[in-house]
Amino acid sequence: MNNKSTIVCILLLFFLCNVLYVRANTGLFFQAHRVIPEKRTELNLTPNTPLSFHDGFSLGFDVHLRNEEHNYGYIVRVILNDTLNIDLLSNKGWSHSQLFLMKGNQSLVDISHLDSIPKFNSSDWFQVELKLNYKKQLIICILNEKEWSIPVELPQLNNVRIVFGLHTGQSFPSTDVAPMSLRNVRILDLKGELLKKWTLLQHGDNEVYDEVKSSRATVRNGIWEIDHHIRWRKKASFIIPGTSLQFAPYQRPTDGGLFIALKDTIYQYSIERERLDTVIVNTGHPYFTAASSLVYDSVHDELISYSAEQERLNRYSFEKNEWERAIPDILLSYLHHSSCYIPDLEKVILFGGYGFYRYSSVLFMHSIDSISWQQKDLAHLIEPRYLAAMGYLGNNKVLLLGGYGSKSGKQEGNPENYYDLHCIDVEKMSSQKLWTFSNAKVEAFGNAMVVDLDKEHIYALSFANDRAFSQIRLNCFGIEKPDRTYMADSIPYQFHDTSSYCTLFYNQGTTELVTVLAYQDGIGKTCVEVYTLGYPVLHLSDVLQSVPEKHSTGWIWLILIIGIGGTLAVLVILWKRKQKNVVRRDENSFYTVEVKEKELIQPSFIRLLGGFQINDSEGHDITSRFTLILRSLFVYMLLYSYKNANGITSEQLNEIFWSDMDKSNATNNRNVNISKLRLLLKEIGGINIAYKNSYWYMTIDSSVNCDYIEICDLLRMVKEGSEINVGLLNKIAELGSRGELLPDITEEWADKFKSEYLILLSDVLLDAYEFVKKSKDLMLLLKLSETMLSCDSTDETAIQNKCYALYHLGKKGLAKQCYENFCAEYIRVLGVRPDFNYTDIIGN
């Protein structure tokens, strides 16, 4: 086999391993007792219509059981005719039963130790199959290869409902959820023919379709494992005392993570163990610089502290727990330089940096067995800069991406951002520019990049370096040409120039990309945050499941619908005339609130509170026809038009939705998507997109109901009115209780709208609480506080009023439970307990 064939085989093997890894780490993660009951996970295979079987059926799935503090809960519940339940439960790690199958109160299978299941591994998945045979009056349970056959009395199976985890249905509800992950759910007939299959790989928003007949299953509070390949997870956040911290990612055969070095202390954060350990150093200390100047030597398992202004490297031995040297502080001239350690060459490489109002273009190279730096100024090839990303390509070559600097190297010499990629040969100390790309944004890059194993792509972090509160984005670039793609979602980043730091590395043990952010808090401490992203990184289109098209069931149904629709239309017209002048007067106020005819007679509506939903003019739910880009484009134009009647420019739309494209492609994509959106809006009726005086804006007729616009109008009526109207408050509570604004849209542009809505709601409700308390309307007080909590689960005033209302309504136990749940959520989100206790609330 020649070298070319060998390389191809290696690449194919790598691709196959990545695919297998992604599939092995997929499925639906069920939240169990670690969260409050209403946050636990449910997978309902029969959300609307029950299943019907003549002789029987088989339910199969793969399950992985986790060990948590509380492990008791339902894996799956099968409900027959709404009168009989067949349940599979687990209690992993308990001293008695760990897995048991129940029919009502009758125990069918009781397994005291999961190790008795063939080929069972506590860290792996195992297969479950439940067969219900009505003809033979038999239930068969198969766990991996072990089978139990139990004669039972079964009713006819013409009304079968199947729910995993949490069950909120009317028949046999339960909040006990087994801590588990689930995949490959399938339903077969007794002959083994596959009827339905949910792999739980690709998915939609709170729903997933089976791959045989496109049957819809609903998901509540689910965490999709595959989403870790498109969304960052915050792994850790901790405070380190001091500001002169040195960071070095590390990779060992059994562990990977991050070292943080201070004068007399080394912190080690392990990605696998999710733990921060501290070691007090015996002697010596690293170079004290105002920049991260630390690398991990994986060949000798040592840390290397360096300074471009000091010739010798300073090494730390884990075995001896000491640094070789202890020298005075250094004022480094190479802040935010780019660096890497090349194990193959056993060399430390660094380039660029900033200090004393100058940018550097010097390439430094230091072998670990040498006593001085080799250096060369590459200003004739690479403009002086800092805030650039570096990574090792192989064959003595490193890549350098972007940066901020100036051609002269002087800060006063018109500094600018660079968007180019250079390939530096560290042996020849020469460089070649591979490409540059135009960028309307202002962006700099983290100090390290990850080179994909295909040697054709690189991953790098970018952020806006012209503001303090920025966002980290993961970029994928081609090495040969600048095919830029944004990957995953964004991460908030507090950029304070040389007082902040961000880097990217790949962790082999967990097969993840890892982002480390650090910034000083202003009081002598440094905040460190660690985020992980599943690798290989996927596109959103790889994860989202396309919604199957719904086909007509026949002309008979069409005629029937037209007939019923015509009858209803006549009745609505007559009712409309009768209700036209109806008004509602509140007994506590002189204000009147007109009954909104559009809610009563107009089937089309737009829901933005609690989730995105749209019904057309015929009352049909067309939400699934809005792709992600159409949904975002529609919502943005709607919200912006409501806030600013002038509308939004084409350039603003391109910047928000097509920033990774050149102007021509962005314009084409914008026009195509606006055309698609206009076609959908025709089905809703009463909504139009207009373009006038170089601005796009959206108009909405009063016949179309939008809950966000309605509640904002009501809130402003209360805020600007001279008196508080109880009728208005009831309507606000009714609308606001649906939940927060756009919880399913996480893009950065939505944040300002969410924030403005939350502030308006909070301002109005603060005054409303006192008004309602004085009028002793405890039910309204309860509604208003629940409205606020549905948008902000840590709102202290809202929980105090909710507990107060419940307590004085006689629901004292529920009031106490709500307070305890709030404290748990408060600690989870903010890391501290609230500064008030339960007795303070009920005593007010």
Side-chain angles (χ1 to χ4, degrees):
M1 183 180 292
N2 57 35
N3 291 337
K4 185 176 181 180
S5 300
T6 304
I7 293 172
V8 171
C9 289
I10 292 172
L11 290 176
L12 288 174
L13 180 61
F14 169 72
F15 173 78
L16 177 61
C17 291
N18 279 337
V19 171
L20 292 175
Y21 171 79
V22 171
R23 291 192 173 274
N25 289 271
T26 54
L28 182 62
F29 180 98
F30 282 68
Q31 300 186 88
H33 297 276
R34 288 183 176 177
V35 299
I36 58 178
E38 50 266 44
K39 295 291 186 180
R40 295 172 189 171
T41 304
E42 173 188 77
L43 171 64
N44 190 343
L45 303 187
T46 51
N48 300 318
T49 307
L51 302 173
S52 180
F53 305 95
H54 185 261
D55 294 328
F57 70 96
S58 172
L59 172 66
F61 53 90
D62 301 343
V63 65
H64 168 63
L65 298 174
R66 305 188 303 274
N67 271 326
E68 294 185 356
E69 184 179 358
H70 302 290
N71 297 312
Y72 175 83
Y74 289 84
I75 297 176
V76 64
R77 168 160 272 176
V78 180
I79 301 173
L80 309 178
N81 303 334
D82 294 327
T83 58
L84 178 64
N85 56 303
I86 308 294
D87 303 324
L88 181 66
L89 303 96
S90 75
N91 199 3
K92 185 180 180 183
W94 192 246
S95 58
H96 302 296
S97 300
Q98 293 192 8
L99 197 70
F100 34 100
L101 181 67
M102 304 287 295
K103 174 199 168 191
N105 295 323
Q106 176 188 356
S107 176
L108 304 180
V109 176
D110 193 334
I111 299 175
S112 57
H113 297 287
L114 295 178
D115 293 340
S116 63
I117 299 174
K119 301 179 181 179
F120 175 80
N121 187 323
S122 60
S123 63
D124 207 349
W125 299 72
F126 66 95
Q127 295 182 343
V128 178
E129 187 173 2
L130 298 176
K131 295 182 179 179
L132 276 68
N133 192 321
Y134 170 72
K135 191 173 183 179
K136 294 183 178 181
Q137 294 290 288
L138 192 69
I139 291 181
I140 298 175
C141 176
I142 303 174
L143 304 176
N144 282 350
E145 298 174 353
K146 191 167 185 177
E147 179 178 315
W148 290 263
S149 182
I150 309 105
V152 294
E153 184 178 344
L154 290 173
Q156 289 186 338
L157 305 177
N158 53 13
N159 187 320
V160 179
R161 299 186 181 275
I162 303 173
V163 181
F164 290 84
L166 178 75
H167 185 210
T168 56
Q170 295 181 351
S171 302
F172 311 104
S174 174
T175 60
D176 289 319
V177 177
M180 63 178 177
S181 293
L182 193 70
R183 70 184 183 192
N184 294 332
V185 179
R186 53 209 178 271
I187 298 176
L188 305 89
D189 63 18
L190 293 182
K191 295 180 182 179
E193 180 181 352
L194 184 64
L195 303 178
K196 301 177 188 294
K197 182 179 180 180
W198 293 267
T199 58
L200 304 183
L201 182 66
Q202 291 183 314
H203 61 87
D205 291 337
N206 302 319
E207 63 183 10
V208 61
Y209 292 86
D210 99 273
E211 300 170 9
V212 180
K213 295 183 178 179
S214 299
S215 297
R216 176 175 174 266
T218 57
V219 179
R220 183 194 300 260
N221 303 321
I223 297 177
W224 299 94
E225 299 284 3
I226 197 172
D227 283 4
H228 186 38
H229 293 264
I230 62 171
R231 295 192 179 97
W232 292 100
R233 288 181 184 171
K234 192 172 186 178
K235 200 82 169 181
S237 178
F238 41 86
I239 305 294
I240 302 295
T243 55
S244 297
L245 278 62
Q246 307 297 307
F247 297 89
Y250 73 90
Q251 189 68 65
R252 288 170 168 168
T254 59
D255 187 28
L258 179 73
F259 287 116
I260 306 173
L262 278 75
K263 179 177 180 180
D264 57 356
T265 309
I266 292 178
Y267 295 90
Q268 177 185 357
Y269 178 75
S270 166
I271 302 293
E272 282 88 338
R273 293 180 288 118
E274 298 184 20
R275 195 174 76 185
L276 182 68
D277 294 321
T278 305
V279 175
I280 306 300
V281 178
N282 290 335
T283 60
H285 57 69
Y287 286 117
F288 292 136
T289 67
S292 183
S293 301
L294 187 73
V295 294
Y296 172 70
D297 178 0
S298 57
V299 178
H300 302 90
D301 189 29
E302 293 181 336
L303 290 174
I304 299 176
S305 175
Y306 63 85
S307 168
E309 296 171 330
Q310 292 287 319
E311 293 295 340
R312 298 183 64 87
L313 300 177
N314 191 7
R315 306 176 65 84
Y316 169 80
S317 167
F318 289 95
E319 182 179 357
K320 298 178 181 178
N321 187 25
E322 62 182 27
W323 291 95
E324 288 180 337
R325 313 180 70 196
I327 60 175
D329 294 2
I330 297 169
L331 292 176
L332 191 65
S333 302
Y334 304 96
L335 307 177
H336 272 315
H337 63 266
S338 306
S339 67
C340 68
Y341 175 74
I342 305 177
D344 298 348
L345 306 177
E346 297 189 10
K347 291 182 178 180
V348 178
I349 309 295
L350 55 136
F351 176 86
Y354 167 81
F356 304 111
Y357 307 102
R358 297 188 67 86
Y359 307 102
S360 170
S361 55
V362 178
L363 174 69
F364 290 89
M365 182 173 62
H366 202 309
S367 298
I368 62 171
D369 57 357
S370 66
I371 59 174
S372 62
W373 292 97
Q374 289 179 264
Q375 55 181 290
K376 183 177 182 180
D377 194 336
L378 300 180
H380 63 294
L381 299 172
I382 308 175
E383 294 87 347
R385 64 188 67 187
Y386 77 141
L387 295 174
M390 179 180 282
Y392 183 52
L393 179 62
N395 297 324
N396 300 327
K397 293 180 174 63
V398 296
L399 297 174
L400 185 78
L401 173 67
Y404 183 82
S406 69
K407 293 181 180 180
S408 66
K410 299 177 181 179
Q411 186 169 350
E412 65 271 18
N414 297 319
E416 61 182 309
N417 287 82
Y418 294 106
Y419 307 108
D420 48 14
L421 182 68
H422 296 262
C423 182
I424 301 174
D425 189 317
V426 297
E427 288 294 324
K428 300 177 180 179
M429 301 195 85
S430 63
S431 178
Q432 176 190 2
K433 181 186 286 190
L434 300 181
W435 48 252
T436 185
F437 72 98
S438 59
N439 191 5
K441 293 185 175 182
V442 176
E443 289 180 292
F445 296 89
N447 82 321
M449 69 172 69
V450 172
V451 179
D452 203 355
L453 292 182
D454 63 6
K455 302 296 184 182
E456 295 180 357
H457 298 86
I458 57 174
Y459 293 95
L461 302 175
S462 67
F463 57 91
N465 62 318
D466 62 345
R467 65 198 66 177
F469 296 97
S470 186
Q471 298 282 329
I472 290 286
R473 294 301 304 265
L474 178 67
N475 303 262
C476 179
F477 289 97
I479 294 179
E480 295 297 326
K481 52 184 179 179
D483 296 329
R484 175 179 182 172
T485 305
Y486 282 125
M487 310 297 289
D489 53 351
S490 60
I491 303 173
Y493 180 44
Q494 294 188 31
F495 175 66
H496 300 303
D497 201 20
T498 56
S499 298
S500 56
Y501 170 83
C502 72
T503 194
L504 176 74
F505 63 93
Y506 173 71
N507 185 52
Q508 295 177 358
T510 57
T511 324
E512 294 173 317
L513 293 180
V514 182
T515 289
V516 177
L517 309 179
Y519 50 90
Q520 297 175 17
D521 64 357
I523 54 174
K525 298 179 181 178
T526 302
C527 304
V528 181
E529 297 177 348
V530 181
Y531 295 83
T532 61
L533 177 70
Y535 188 85
V537 185
L538 300 179
H539 294 277
L540 193 60
S541 58
D542 299 324
V543 171
L544 290 181
Q545 186 179 39
S546 58
V547 179
E549 294 183 3
K550 297 181 180 179
H551 301 284
S552 173
T553 57
W555 60 272
I556 296 177
W557 284 106
L558 180 61
I559 294 175
L560 183 60
I561 291 171
I562 292 174
I564 294 174
T567 303
L568 288 175
V570 172
L571 293 174
V572 165
I573 291 172
L574 294 173
W575 183 85
K576 176 182 176 181
R577 292 175 180 172
K578 188 177 180 180
Q579 295 291 326
K580 188 173 183 180
N581 297 318
V582 173
V583 295
R584 182 173 56 192
R585 183 173 295 275
D586 178 67
E587 61 182 342
N588 297 314
S589 172
F590 293 105
Y591 290 98
T592 60
V593 183
E594 185 177 350
V595 175
K596 296 196 175 182
E597 296 177 26
K598 61 185 178 183
E599 288 187 4
L600 304 174
I601 66 171
Q602 177 57 266
S604 61
F605 65 74
I606 302 166
R607 296 284 180 265
L608 304 182
L609 302 178
F612 179 74
Q613 183 185 354
I614 290 187
N615 274 24
D616 63 15
S617 58
E618 297 181 355
H620 301 143
D621 188 342
I622 61 171
T623 309
S624 60
R625 297 178 59 187
F626 282 76
T627 62
L628 283 179
I629 183 62
L630 288 181
R631 181 186 66 175
S632 296
L633 183 61
F634 168 72
V635 170
Y636 183 77
M637 295 184 75
L638 172 65
L639 296 181
Y640 203 94
S641 298
Y642 175 70
K643 178 183 177 183
N644 186 347
N646 291 330
I648 184 172
T649 65
S650 298
E651 288 72 20
Q652 287 175 295
L653 289 176
N654 289 351
E655 173 67 19
I656 291 173
F657 297 107
W658 299 282
S659 60
D660 55 339
M661 300 181 183
D662 58 39
K663 186 176 181 180
S664 176
N665 288 332
T667 300
N668 181 59
N669 273 272
R670 184 192 70 235
N671 293 337
V672 168
N673 281 284
I674 288 180
S675 297
K676 291 180 179 178
L677 184 57
R678 278 174 165 158
L679 291 175
L680 281 174
L681 297 185
K682 284 183 180 180
E683 301 183 26
I684 303 172
I687 307 180
N688 295 292
I689 296 176
Y691 183 71
K692 186 178 181 181
N693 298 328
S694 301
Y695 282 87
W696 296 93
Y697 61 94
M698 187 175 289
T699 60
I700 304 178
D701 294 347
S702 59
S703 60
V704 180
N705 173 250
C706 174
D707 56 0
Y708 167 74
I709 292 177
E710 184 177 357
I711 195 172
C712 285
D713 288 344
L714 294 172
L715 289 169
R716 290 189 174 93
M717 287 173 63
V718 174
K719 190 172 184 179
E720 297 168 4
S722 58
E723 294 185 37
I724 296 180
N725 178 274
V726 174
L728 288 178
L729 294 180
N730 272 294
K731 187 60 180 176
I732 289 170
E734 176 189 340
L735 291 167
S737 62
R738 294 173 183 170
E740 62 180 300
L741 175 64
L742 302 171
D744 43 4
I745 295 182
T746 58
E747 283 82 358
E748 182 180 354
W749 59 261
D751 292 343
K752 67 176 182 178
F753 294 108
K754 294 181 181 182
S755 176
E756 289 170 358
Y757 168 68
L758 193 61
I759 291 171
L760 177 60
L761 180 66
S762 177
D763 288 347
V764 170
L765 293 188
L766 278 175
D767 293 332
Y769 291 141
E770 296 304 317
F771 171 79
V772 175
K773 263 188 177 182
K774 291 178 182 177
S775 63
K776 298 184 179 179
D777 192 341
L778 295 176
M779 286 305 299
L780 179 55
L781 181 63
L782 180 61
K783 290 179 185 178
L784 294 174
S785 56
E786 287 178 338
T787 294
M788 192 65 220
L789 290 169
S790 69
C791 299
D792 182 2
S793 61
T794 60
D795 190 282
E796 299 180 9
T797 307
I799 191 61
Q800 292 179 41
N801 283 288
K802 180 178 181 178
C803 292
Y804 176 89
L806 288 171
Y807 184 86
H808 291 282
L809 283 169
K811 303 180 184 297
K812 299 180 179 179
L814 185 57
K816 183 65 180 295
Q817 182 182 355
C818 288
Y819 171 75
E820 292 174 349
N821 291 340
F822 173 82
C823 290
E825 176 71 1
Y826 198 93
I827 293 171
R828 185 188 70 81
V829 174
L830 302 177
V832 295
R833 288 188 63 84
D835 58 359
F836 58 89
N837 55 46
Y838 182 66
T839 55
D840 296 333
I841 297 174
I842 61 175
N844 292 335

